[in-house]
Amino acid sequence: MPFARVRELDVYYERTGARDGAPLLFINGTGGDLRHRPGLTGALPPERFDVVAYDQRGLGQTSIPEGPYSMEQYGDDAAGLLDALGIESAHVIGVSFGGMVAQHLAIRHPHRVRRLVLACTSSGGAGGASYPLHELEGESDARYRGERFLEICDTRWDAAWRAREPDAFDRLVGMMAARAPIAADADAAREAARGAALQLEARRFHDVYDRLGEIAAPTLVCGGRYDGIAPEANQRALAGRIPHAELALFEGGHLFLLQDGAAFPHIVAFLEATG
């Protein structure tokens, strides 16, 4: 298994695609763990990109150091991984929490980012925050957590929809359950829970709205029209604040990358554009 040493972290990463392709750093969202399959990077054309995806601090197979963690650390971790792999600069796709990390990377290390894709994410501050998932994690009723999470993933999936489409709802619940933290034993489960809680705590304090004008990379902001976690208004605020950013909205919610087949081709076309 490939690990890279990034300061105090052993960062688990996977590198796929063509080594002579354009370098692309893919930053996963809340709770991201590369052991969950399938991953989103499979939708990228492997012959055209050299794709690096990784588990962020506190998550998956990467180290879980003592906290607290900061959003600045997450951005610096991404830059440190590029250093460790000898990649001077790369396209960057950040999804959800990964989009927050990508904002910090682009602001703190602008020379490392060629073209930037911010997917279903938020700037914080006056640009709007994403849904406070730490509050949802505090709910003891697992069924309620699952229903509420799906409802905010896609605002069309309300109680009336669930009553009309019970089989579809059960499939979605099963899909979410399959993304639960992976642990070999009780001690590992406790460590995974600790890392996930530290990540959610850092997420609470994400706010770069007043610094978005510092992002120099060509940027695509994209999201789902029915996203209750990172609403359309948040995407518009990002695109309006980042110089010359493009905005694209798709049919879907927080999972629009899976829901709308036009999303990844649009992202690929943006990454391969010149000028």
Side-chain angles (χ1 to χ4, degrees):
M1 296 188 296
F3 287 87
R5 189 67 181 175
V6 179
R7 296 184 306 281
E8 81 279 22
L9 298 176
D10 289 318
V11 176
Y12 177 78
Y13 71 94
E14 294 179 357
R15 194 167 184 176
T16 57
R19 289 300 178 91
D20 60 350
L24 192 160
L25 182 67
F26 189 94
I27 311 179
N28 256 322
T30 297
D33 185 332
L34 292 178
R35 290 172 293 187
H36 291 141
R37 304 293 185 184
L40 289 173
T41 57
L44 295 164
E47 71 281 3
R48 281 139 67 184
F49 295 103
D50 176 10
V51 181
V52 174
Y54 68 104
D55 291 338
Q56 299 192 68
R57 67 168 54 223
L59 302 175
Q61 297 175 82
T62 288
S63 305
I64 309 175
E66 293 302 313
Y69 305 161
S70 71
M71 293 304 301
E72 290 81 6
Q73 280 180 308
Y74 280 102
D76 292 348
D77 291 345
L81 178 59
L82 294 177
D83 285 336
L85 298 180
I87 299 172
E88 183 175 346
S89 65
H91 299 315
V92 176
I93 299 176
V95 179
S96 192
F97 175 77
M100 301 178 197
V101 174
Q103 292 164 57
H104 285 270
L105 172 63
I107 290 167
R108 293 171 65 82
H109 307 275
H111 62 290
R112 312 309 296 267
V113 182
R114 298 184 183 183
R115 297 178 77 86
L116 176 64
V117 177
L118 301 176
C120 53
T121 192
S122 303
S123 69
S130 290
Y131 187 89
L133 294 176
H134 60 281
E135 295 180 1
L136 192 59
E137 288 301 308
E139 290 289 341
S140 59
D141 186 327
R143 179 72 178 184
Y144 172 82
R145 286 201 311 271
E147 290 182 0
R148 181 63 184 136
F149 185 74
L150 288 174
E151 189 175 78
I152 59 177
C153 267
D154 191 315
T155 56
R156 297 170 297 180
W157 296 342
D158 57 12
W161 178 86
R162 294 197 297 271
R164 291 194 308 271
E165 303 286 348
D167 292 341
F169 173 66
D170 285 342
R171 283 195 299 273
L172 287 166
V173 170
M175 183 179 74
M176 293 300 174
R179 313 296 284 191
I182 297 170
D185 53 37
D187 288 341
R190 281 191 290 271
E191 272 296 276
R194 183 176 70 86
L198 285 165
Q199 183 249 316
L200 285 174
E201 183 67 9
R203 179 184 181 275
R204 288 180 58 192
F205 299 102
H206 170 66
D207 178 2
V208 295
Y209 181 75
D210 291 336
R211 298 191 65 188
L212 291 175
E214 300 175 35
I215 294 179
T219 301
L220 171 66
V221 178
C222 51
R225 297 183 185 278
Y226 310 103
D227 190 345
I229 293 178
E232 179 179 330
N234 295 19
Q235 313 313 304
R236 294 190 179 279
L238 277 166
R241 192 79 170 180
I242 298 171
H244 313 297
E246 299 178 25
L247 174 66
L249 296 171
F250 295 93
E251 290 303 303
H254 202 62
L255 306 178
F256 79 94
L257 291 169
L258 300 174
Q259 293 172 291
D260 192 332
F264 264 109
H266 190 100
I267 289 170
V268 170
F270 169 79
L271 293 175
E272 295 187 327
T274 58

